[in-house]
Amino acid sequence: VEDPNEPNLLLQREISLKIEMLLESSGFTRAPFESCDYLLFFDYGVDDARRVVDMMPIRRPGATMAASSYTAGVPSSAVYDLPDSTTYVPYTRTVYGKYMALTLVEGSHFRGTQEKRQVWVGEAVLTSSSSDFRDAVNFLLVGAFASFGEDTRRQLSVKIRTDDARIKTLRAR
């Protein structure tokens, strides 16, 4: 359901079309507002930038050291292997949290009361170094639709690769 008060109607329409595509690929069909059984509302956003401290490993490969000496005119030598070492160096980076919330409500109840009687709620979040929401929305939607309509009873962690076919399809939209 589109919100006419949304400040970025173009992005809202883009997300709506992607949601329709995911619903259709899951076997659902679009129905007119006046007669649909369910309505799907969505909300999305990007949090303010925040700085996080992370650690970067710096690996130093081992080395071989040869030592020679003379004691009372007698030469001696030894070879020593120095082990690899790793040092961890702190660094800061800026990250942005992005979220998508999907709320499925009863259509007839909403039409009669304007109250959103929830049937299902799906939320997806991700954090990245980019503030751009347009590509992140693809990952958020694929993650949210991974368990669309299911009661998972707990938070799920979903890994989605950039070469995932669903991501490629949504990017092409």
Side-chain angles (χ1 to χ4, degrees), residues 64-67 77-81:
T64 303
M65 180 178 83
S77 63
V79 176
Y80 300 98
D81 285 325

Side-chain angles (χ1 to χ4, degrees), residues 4-160:
N5 298 319
E6 170 62 38
N8 189 340
L9 289 174
L10 293 175
L11 180 58
Q12 182 183 13
R13 286 187 191 117
E14 181 181 331
I15 294 170
S16 292
L17 290 172
K18 290 178 184 215
I19 289 173
E20 282 183 37
M21 184 187 314
L22 289 166
L23 286 169
E24 288 172 4
S25 70
S26 298
F28 295 95
T29 56
R30 184 181 173 113
F33 176 81
E34 299 76 24
S35 62
C36 65
D37 293 328
Y38 300 100
L39 294 165
L40 184 61
F41 290 87
F42 64 92
D43 188 27
Y44 60 92
V46 178
D47 294 341
D48 291 334
R50 60 189 159 106
R51 296 180 66 74
V52 295
V53 176
D54 211 341
M55 300 296 275
M56 179 185 313
I58 307 293
R59 184 179 171 275
R60 291 184 181 86
T64 303
M65 180 178 83
S68 301
S69 67
Y70 286 92
T71 305
V74 178
S76 66
S77 63
V79 176
Y80 300 98
D81 285 325
L82 301 175
D84 294 349
S85 66
T86 302
T87 303
Y88 292 89
V89 178
Y91 71 97
T92 60
R93 60 189 176 107
T94 302
V95 296
Y96 301 86
K98 298 162 190 82
Y99 67 91
M100 170 71 60
L102 303 174
T103 306
L104 189 67
V105 303
E106 294 177 359
S108 61
H109 184 77
F110 181 80
R111 284 188 299 275
T113 65
Q114 296 297 297
E115 178 188 334
K116 296 178 183 177
R117 184 182 289 170
Q118 296 178 349
V119 176
W120 177 83
V121 174
E123 298 169 323
V125 295
L126 66 81
T127 303
S128 72
S129 58
S130 170
S131 63
D132 184 20
F133 189 79
R134 289 197 186 269
D135 192 46
V137 71
N138 299 321
F139 291 88
L140 293 166
L141 287 171
V142 167
F145 273 89
S147 58
F148 182 73
E150 296 176 30
D151 182 1
T152 62
R153 300 196 186 277
R154 62 185 174 85
Q155 178 179 335
L156 302 178
S157 181
V158 180
K159 292 185 180 182
I160 304 164

